[in-house]
Amino acid sequence: MTLSTRDRLLTWCGLLLALLIVLRPVNSPELWWHLSCGREVIDGTFSPSQQLLLLDQSADSNWGGGLVFYVIWSIGGMFALATWPIVAALGLLWLVRKKVPADWSLLQSFTLLAVALVAIRPGLQPVPAVFDLVGLLCMPLIERQCQSSRSRLIATFLLGAAWATLGPRPLWGLLWLLLQFGKTPETTKPEASPLGSVMALLLGGCLTPRGIWTWYDALVNTVPTVFDSGQIGDSQAWSTLSLLSSFPVEAWALLVLLVAALVQLFRTAKRVVPELASVFVPLLLALICRDNVPLAACWISMWYLQLSSQIKVGTSSSSANDESKGSRESPVSLWGWRLAFSGTVGLLLVDASGLLTAPGQRLGWGIAQEIDPRLLDLPDNSRDEEPLIAWVPDERSAGLVVWQDVGVVLVDHPRRAVLSGRLPMHRQFARDLQEARRAQYRLENGEWAGWVVQATEWKLQLLCVPVEDEPLNTSLTKSTWQRVDLDSPTIPYASTDTQKFAAAVSLTLQLQGFVETGPWRPDKSVYDSMGWRYDVIELLGMGPEPGPAVRQSQAFRSLDLPFAGLRALNVVRGESSHPALQREFTRCQEAMAYQEWTTFGAAGEFRRHVVQSVMNGKQESSPWLQSYEDDEPIERWEPALSLYLAGDTEAARDALKSNQPQAIYARAMLALEVGDTRRALREFDVLLDDDTANLPPGLHVAAQFWSNQIGQLEQ
Amino acid sequence: MTSTPRQPTSYSRLAQGFIPWLLLCGCALGLWRAQDVAATPSPQPALHASQNALELERRCAECHVDVTDQFATAPHAQTLLRVSEANLMSSLANREFVHPKTGVPYKLESAGEELHIASPAYGREAAVAWCFGSGHHARTPLITWRDPDGALASIEPLVTWFPDNTLDVTPGMEKLEETYSVFAMGVLHPPQETTGCFGCHVTHLPLEEGRISFDGIQPGVRCARCHTDLERHVSDMDAGRDTTIERFSQLSPHESVFRCGECHRRASEMGAKPSPQDTSLIRFASVGLVESSCFLNQGDVQLSNGETARLDCTTCHSPHSATDTDWRTHVAACIKCHDENHTDLVHCPQAGNEANCLPCHMPKVPQNSHLSFTDHWIRIRDHLPSPEGDAPER
């Protein structure tokens, strides 16, 4: 094998590894918000937030970030947006290709670059945050490429202006420059003056409509958790990174990088404190806000490469020096790197399979279902002069709503609200909605709260709540707000105080009855991506992506339609065993048992056994799971129970042969679950023909109820 | 340009030592602050947050024993009781009720500290621990349980006790005619509504992660519920400072009714603009009152003593005692404005100033055969309410 062939082969291996890491559907919750901002800029404003939000009166600092991606969308559509992370990752690798020390083995290079890419991956989405990465990469580039102090100042000034206009967090550049004060003089160029560069970046950053306030915005965007927890309802706009809460895969990758960097540092550096700051400042920023993880990883990676290059320089310039000789030797043997590489590839394969990550994050390409704006049906108000005012608790919903462009103005956006200190007001509003408090009531601090007054003040007519915020969705189900869409990742609620939405509300109510007790038999087509997603894992025959089914089930369950939730899950349950799917299945079963107990006075025996099985007896003391004297032992329900838990509902129904009332009821419920309403009716009729006294508690009531529900729908 | 190493100046040496430490400390402080921000709870509703309502009430009695003694017998103080209380259990337990329209039977039986309601329309005996209502108008037991999240859910049963010691359909549920399932038992209230039910019948309602905790509950609407500055008043007293408590008479009439309306409902909570044709509003006195001309125009009327006329709930009702049933007490409030000194105000052609205004302008509207509500929407009517409670308007 010639050297060039080997290089080519290795290049392809590297590319494949990179693809394995970054080939994911775009899922940034900010995507559509920034594209909408870009659209507003094209329409002639430098303050898009003012146009899109009711409460926002301040100018946008990074007004141009969305514009770039809106132009890309306009030219290349979904294809261009979905390809962006791959292009960005390849560009990143191209930039660092010559920075990898020559004495690194290939396995070492691949391992460390793969880990870095995993940590940086969330920052490669087609949203303005990617410009923060670009800006940070440009900092050492300017230092290296600009030969004179004057050209360096000009370049830094221009970078500051561009970064502040495009990216939300130019503060990272400032921190980078400030830490140059701590660098050893030997490594800096002559006439280098970090103070001048700092001033140039600061001045350049002020060239936005926000002026000097750009830096305040940058500070808030970098460390929003210092100003507000970011929680509205159950939606978390941003959060700190903590081992106690969920620790995402990119955070683990950052930790690995950190350990590698520290090992390298203690082997080489003479001035440990300033160099330690170069590692711990980005790390602390990542801990303060997990959005900073990609930038921290990028920073630590650059610093690590720089440090490794210094070893090389040091060893080649003073080969006689014994200390340098010692540092030249890698602390990890070749076998060690082989092991590390194999482990990394194994973990990357697991990551790509999506088994251990949240749904929607496995190998694939396109736009993730949870941010697919085509799924959201809003009432079209574009011909009305008065805009519809909508309130949203999260970024994703904000983007999906404004992107529709149907004459809707949002009350606020979490990222904009934190800049002006409005988030506590929205948090209180969400809590009032969730806990159905009265129009106005007194708080412990003497102030008054209450959602009705606030909604009247805003002239609110729409609420759009993410499916995942179950407490808020559950509360709204029993309120004067009614859903006008059932299958969107963000659920729109219309006010029933106006006739405007009567038709949409009425239609949705009819659909609710249909999906719960009608002959609804969903198949995989209900989760069809309509050309916007390609799931590699599914194409490889390893089961469908569970995310859409889980979200649909959540939407139904929060609407007190657990049966519809089960139907939505059944589409994928037989082919996937993702933990999120199992969790949702368990919740639906528990909700079903609870609903039967509250509505009829007792839950069916089969249902109770199912819940006990999936919950491993955790809820045995709950009254809705209590057993009755005439219950049969669980063994009698096998194999129907096993078949049902394995996802084969029809086979489970056929396996129930007994003519005991509880078995008939279970057969009827399973028939209903698969949408076979006629067979369910026949089974319920058998129960209704029986003498009530012969039936277990609540069974006659339940049969009568379901029979009536199905009958009404058939009429 | 040469690449000779630059010699560090004293300023750059200082910066080299100082800036990394400064940034590290700043970031560490930021992290500490972020944890602090995340852990800071939002302000709670006063109803759920106040921990010492009971102690405060004891302090009230030290100085205002006449008021607190009188208040103990007022309906507000008895608006929520444990069903285990002797007189309550004896009036509810071991009785049967058959729905007059559906024929569904209900059986109420004592079971230790609880009351159980059973019906063939429902598969279980439902347990009642609390009874809502002072008994002056009615008492409705509430079926409660904890849902899978540990929150309190409830059924407001279809059966209510009335002061003539009869059981009948709960006011507002006359049109419920289901014969099976929970809908034959009454109205199902999810946790947030159940919290709302208790919220209007207590002085303090402790919540733990949004769930009602009965350990510290203070049933009944007592001193601290309306006198929101009670804690400050007691603390001022203890410190020997001159102090007084906020009085409803010091509030604007609108604010005063607004406070009562937290439980008795407010016009702003009713969704659409209230209409006199909506007979369901009769139950909500504070909604009708603020829509009345007497309320809306009170600021334009000067009394003979030079003061501006004032009409709010406390004009006729002392919240510290049961409602005075002598009509003359209430009519006296009308006559303050509608007298011979105010010739520009409407004078009733039907009666002299000493006559009872209430039957025509604030009639009692029957809710069922046991209970009537006074319509507080003071107005001139073409027709008086029929015994069925149907009051056509012009």
Side-chain angles (χ1 to χ4, degrees):
Chain A
M1 196 182 289
T2 65
L3 190 65
S4 61
T5 313
R6 178 177 171 272
D7 280 352
R8 236 179 302 164
L9 191 65
L10 289 173
T11 307
W12 280 110
C13 284
L15 282 176
L16 274 178
L17 200 61
L19 279 180
L20 186 68
I21 295 166
V22 295
L23 196 64
R24 301 285 188 278
V26 170
N27 71 340
S28 171
E30 302 171 40
L31 177 69
W32 300 106
W33 167 257
H34 288 298
L35 286 188
S36 305
C37 287
R39 186 172 59 195
E40 290 299 318
V41 174
I42 290 277
D43 286 346
T45 176
F46 289 119
S47 302
S49 299
Q50 283 182 18
Q51 304 297 317
L52 299 170
L53 303 176
L54 184 73
L55 299 182
D56 204 347
Q57 300 302 320
S58 54
D60 294 71
S61 47
N62 61 323
W63 58 271
L67 176 65
V68 173
F69 294 107
Y70 182 70
V71 171
I72 290 174
W73 158 267
S74 303
I75 295 168
M78 184 284 293
F79 178 86
L81 285 182
T83 312
W84 172 272
I86 300 161
V87 174
L90 295 179
L92 193 71
L93 290 176
W94 183 80
L95 270 178
V96 300
R97 77 194 191 288
K98 286 185 179 170
K99 303 296 159 211
V100 177
D103 59 337
W104 277 17
S105 70
L106 274 171
L107 291 178
Q108 185 179 2
S109 310
F110 278 180
T111 306
L112 291 171
L113 287 178
V115 171
L117 202 52
V118 169
I120 292 170
R121 182 171 61 189
L124 300 175
Q125 301 271 312
V127 290
V130 76
F131 295 117
D132 295 327
L133 274 177
V134 176
L136 193 60
L137 285 167
C138 287
M139 297 306 295
L141 214 63
I142 288 175
E143 192 182 324
R144 217 168 26 245
Q145 300 294 330
C146 297
Q147 295 300 317
S148 70
S149 172
R150 183 188 166 86
S151 62
R152 186 174 306 171
L153 287 179
I154 292 171
T156 308
F157 176 81
L158 291 176
L159 176 67
W163 193 341
T165 304
L166 298 172
R169 287 167 288 190
L171 195 76
W172 278 83
L174 203 60
L175 290 172
W176 173 274
L177 284 176
L178 285 171
L179 281 171
Q180 298 311 303
F181 281 108
K183 289 285 160 93
T184 51
E186 292 84 6
T187 61
T188 52
K189 285 178 178 291
E191 300 177 46
S193 166
L195 185 63
S197 297
V198 166
M199 293 309 295
L201 193 77
L202 278 173
L203 286 173
C206 292
L207 292 183
T208 74
R210 277 284 273 173
I212 197 164
W213 288 102
T214 302
W215 291 103
Y216 171 75
D217 291 1
L219 175 69
V220 178
N221 287 329
T222 306
V223 287
T225 48
V226 170
F227 297 85
D228 196 287
S229 67
Q231 184 138 23
I232 305 177
D234 245 26
S235 306
Q236 189 82 43
W238 48 79
S239 62
T240 55
L241 196 59
S242 164
L243 273 173
L244 299 174
S245 59
S246 62
F247 211 57
V249 64
E250 59 268 19
W252 287 111
L254 179 68
L255 274 186
V256 173
L257 275 182
L258 177 75
V259 171
L262 286 178
V263 169
Q264 195 77 320
L265 174 68
F266 288 111
R267 286 177 58 226
T268 58
K270 295 169 189 169
R271 298 168 56 82
V272 172
V273 172
E275 298 295 347
L276 271 181
S278 289
V279 181
F280 281 103
V281 165
L283 178 73
L284 284 170
L285 290 176
L287 290 173
I288 291 172
C289 181
R290 60 194 286 179
D291 293 350
N292 290 322
V293 167
L295 281 166
C298 182
W299 176 312
I300 292 174
S301 303
M302 289 193 306
W303 177 84
Y304 182 70
L305 289 173
Q306 192 181 5
L307 210 63
S308 302
S309 305
Q310 280 177 27
I311 298 176
K312 191 187 155 201
V313 171
T315 50
S316 58
S317 63
S318 56
S319 55
N321 189 318
D322 289 340
E323 276 180 34
S324 303
K325 268 185 187 173
S327 64
R328 191 178 175 182
E329 291 164 12
S330 170
V332 184
S333 67
L334 183 63
W335 276 104
W337 281 116
R338 279 179 185 162
L339 197 67
F341 180 72
S342 309
T344 306
V345 172
L347 288 173
L348 289 179
L349 287 172
V350 173
D351 175 61
S353 72
L355 285 175
L356 299 180
T357 50
Q361 282 308 291
R362 62 190 202 174
L363 201 64
W365 181 82
I367 305 285
Q369 192 256 5
E370 70 260 33
I371 61 162
D372 191 337
R374 299 168 305 166
L375 297 173
L376 177 62
D377 289 325
L378 288 176
D380 190 352
N381 190 57
S382 48
R383 291 182 186 172
D384 207 327
E385 282 185 12
E386 280 284 308
L388 278 182
I389 308 295
W391 180 87
V392 295
D394 67 319
E395 297 170 273
R396 187 182 83 194
S397 305
L400 292 175
V401 171
V402 294
W403 180 249
Q404 300 276 319
D405 199 19
V406 287
V408 177
V409 167
L410 292 181
V411 173
D412 216 337
H413 183 284
R415 294 269 172 187
R416 300 294 300 170
V418 71
L419 294 174
S420 307
R422 295 189 298 267
L423 267 185
M425 176 178 69
H426 293 296
R427 187 162 34 249
Q428 187 64 56
F429 183 71
R431 282 182 52 178
D432 285 343
L433 281 175
Q434 187 174 317
E435 293 168 25
R437 291 185 181 132
R438 296 202 184 289
Q440 209 166 357
Y441 61 90
R442 208 171 60 88
L443 291 170
E444 60 182 322
N445 60 7
E447 292 177 4
W448 290 82
W451 70 268
V452 176
V453 175
Q454 196 74 81
T456 309
E457 190 183 308
W458 292 335
K459 297 181 181 169
L460 201 61
Q461 290 177 298
L462 275 178
L463 300 171
C464 295
V465 180
V467 162
E468 293 83 356
D469 193 343
E470 284 180 33
L472 187 49
N473 282 311
T474 306
S475 293
L476 288 172
T477 299
K478 304 283 181 190
S479 74
T480 55
W481 297 88
Q482 287 295 317
R483 293 186 188 199
V484 288
D485 191 2
L486 286 180
D487 62 353
S488 163
T490 280
I491 303 172
Y493 293 84
S495 168
T496 50
D497 288 349
T498 164
Q499 291 289 312
K500 205 179 219 174
F501 310 109
V505 168
S506 169
L507 179 65
T508 313
L509 285 171
Q510 287 173 36
L511 283 173
Q512 287 177 27
F514 175 72
V515 296
E516 178 77 347
T517 49
W520 185 48
R521 298 181 190 201
D523 55 25
K524 282 182 189 169
S525 66
V526 297
Y527 306 126
D528 186 29
S529 65
M530 296 175 284
W532 271 33
R533 276 178 298 288
Y534 299 94
D535 187 48
V536 176
I537 302 297
E538 189 173 7
L539 292 174
L540 292 172
M542 293 165 70
E545 158 66 35
V550 170
R551 263 186 297 279
Q552 186 59 70
S553 174
Q554 278 179 315
F556 286 145
R557 190 162 48 78
S558 61
L559 195 52
D560 204 17
L561 304 175
F563 220 74
L566 279 177
R567 288 170 158 194
L569 285 182
N570 282 344
V571 177
V572 295
R573 207 161 62 80
E575 297 176 64
S576 173
S577 57
H578 194 282
L581 196 66
Q582 294 302 322
R583 269 197 304 275
E584 182 56 27
F585 178 68
T586 303
R587 284 179 189 154
C588 280
Q589 291 296 343
E590 193 186 17
M592 272 303 299
Y594 178 69
Q595 192 191 58
E596 286 186 352
W597 182 77
T598 51
T599 311
F600 318 127
E605 191 179 340
F606 183 69
R607 182 79 56 199
R608 282 185 271 121
H609 285 310
V610 171
V611 178
Q612 299 282 16
S613 300
V614 293
M615 299 191 78
N616 299 319
K618 280 180 194 162
Q619 292 272 345
E620 252 172 36
S621 58
S622 305
W624 49 92
L625 297 180
Q626 68 170 2
S627 48
Y628 295 87
E629 279 178 11
D630 50 356
D631 276 1
E632 293 186 35
I634 191 166
E635 294 76 24
R636 299 287 290 274
W637 291 95
E638 294 286 358
L641 198 55
S642 300
L643 286 166
Y644 182 66
L645 293 176
D648 197 343
T649 310
E650 295 197 37
R653 182 194 60 196
D654 296 338
L656 290 165
K657 308 272 188 214
S658 165
N659 278 328
Q660 293 294 317
Q662 287 285 9
I664 298 171
Y665 181 69
R667 274 205 302 272
M669 293 304 278
L670 293 183
L672 194 55
E673 196 174 315
V674 295
D676 189 351
T677 50
R678 290 187 183 279
R679 180 160 180 178
L681 264 182
R682 282 201 301 276
E683 301 281 10
F684 286 132
D685 283 344
V686 174
L687 285 176
L688 291 173
D689 289 342
D690 206 342
D691 184 1
T692 313
N694 296 335
L695 296 178
L699 215 58
H700 192 271
V701 177
Q704 205 170 352
F705 177 88
W706 290 116
S707 187
N708 196 15
Q709 293 285 311
I710 298 168
Q712 275 180 6
L713 212 69
E714 289 207 334
Q715 280 173 20
Chain B
M1 191 80 60
T2 59
S3 293
T4 50
R6 178 170 57 91
Q7 293 302 311
T9 62
S10 58
Y11 131 77
S12 66
R13 271 200 298 272
L14 182 68
Q16 282 168 19
F18 183 63
I19 288 177
W21 280 111
L22 188 71
L23 290 180
L24 273 174
C25 291
C27 290
L29 271 176
L31 183 60
W32 172 77
R33 169 76 186 147
Q35 307 291 339
D36 201 35
V37 166
T40 306
S42 301
Q44 292 291 310
L47 174 67
H48 305 311
S50 171
Q51 294 300 316
N52 57 351
L54 205 61
E55 169 63 13
L56 286 174
E57 192 169 306
R58 193 185 61 74
R59 299 298 306 276
C60 296
E62 287 176 7
C63 301
H64 307 283
V65 67
D66 51 334
V67 180
T68 53
D69 279 358
Q70 184 192 26
F71 185 71
T73 61
H76 272 133
Q78 302 163 41
T79 192
L80 178 66
L81 295 168
R82 287 181 197 274
V83 80
S84 54
E85 292 200 11
N87 62 335
L88 208 56
M89 190 61 97
S90 61
S91 62
L92 290 169
N94 305 320
R95 299 183 65 170
E96 288 190 19
F97 168 70
V98 178
H99 194 290
K101 290 182 183 168
T102 63
V104 174
Y106 301 87
K107 200 170 183 180
L108 286 74
E109 286 184 332
S110 142
E113 298 268 288
E114 292 181 334
L115 179 76
H116 280 192
I117 303 180
S119 169
Y122 198 53
R124 68 182 170 104
E125 287 189 0
V128 172
W130 294 92
C131 199
F132 283 67
S134 64
H136 288 74
H137 294 107
R139 271 183 174 143
T140 305
L142 192 75
I143 299 163
T144 54
W145 66 89
R146 297 281 175 182
D147 76 358
D149 296 325
L152 197 75
S154 64
I155 298 172
E156 186 181 353
L158 203 130
V159 188
T160 283
W161 176 91
F162 291 93
D164 56 4
N165 201 26
T166 54
L167 297 178
D168 208 338
V169 176
T170 303
M173 295 193 194
E174 293 81 3
K175 290 180 181 168
L176 280 187
E177 293 180 12
E178 292 289 341
T179 54
Y180 59 90
S181 81
V182 69
F183 307 110
M185 292 296 280
V187 175
L188 180 66
H189 292 296
Q192 66 271 27
E193 285 181 11
T194 304
T195 306
C197 296
F198 277 91
C200 276
H201 290 256
V202 298
T203 302
H204 174 49
L205 186 66
L207 288 187
E208 287 172 9
E209 295 180 5
R211 300 171 195 129
I212 295 176
S213 161
F214 286 120
D215 287 345
I217 192 171
Q218 196 187 356
V221 175
R222 307 181 77 95
C223 311
R225 184 64 195 267
C226 300
H227 296 294
T228 54
D229 59 344
L230 193 56
E231 201 160 353
R232 180 198 53 78
H233 178 54
V234 170
S235 135
D236 283 352
M237 288 290 294
D238 289 344
R241 289 189 287 266
D242 279 347
T243 179
T244 184
I245 204 159
E246 180 188 73
R247 290 176 162 79
F248 274 38
S249 57
Q250 293 167 331
L251 303 171
S252 72
H254 196 277
E255 176 67 17
S256 172
V257 180
F258 188 81
R259 296 276 183 97
C260 302
E262 182 175 355
C263 292
H264 293 276
R265 307 292 194 276
R266 297 163 176 144
S268 58
E269 283 180 67
M270 308 311 289
K273 181 160 173 57
S275 155
Q277 273 77 30
D278 184 356
T279 50
S280 70
L281 292 183
I282 293 166
R283 283 185 71 183
F284 310 127
S286 43
V287 175
L289 183 67
V290 297
E291 296 293 327
S292 308
S293 296
C294 295
F295 183 86
L296 295 169
N297 300 318
Q298 59 181 302
D300 301 336
V301 182
Q302 283 243 311
L303 301 179
S304 48
N305 61 6
E307 291 178 0
T308 307
R310 181 183 173 93
L311 176 65
D312 65 3
C313 305
T314 58
T315 307
C316 298
H317 300 280
S318 165
H320 298 139
S321 59
T323 302
D324 192 338
T325 51
D326 185 354
W327 63 267
R328 290 173 192 82
T329 314
H330 305 295
V331 167
C334 306
I335 292 174
K336 276 187 182 173
C337 296
H338 295 276
D339 62 357
E340 62 277 5
N341 296 327
H342 295 89
T343 50
D344 53 330
L345 295 180
V346 176
H347 280 267
C348 182
Q350 302 294 325
N353 282 340
E354 296 300 320
N356 187 356
C357 319
L358 306 180
C360 294
H361 300 291
M362 295 181 76
K364 282 190 175 295
V365 181
Q367 186 77 23
N368 57 23
S369 56
H370 313 278
L371 185 61
S372 296
F373 287 111
T374 300
D375 187 349
H376 281 68
W377 197 322
I378 308 164
R379 61 192 189 276
I380 300 167
R381 301 154 194 267
D382 276 353
H383 304 284
L384 289 178
S386 65
E388 289 75 36
D390 187 17
E393 292 297 321
R394 65 178 176 186

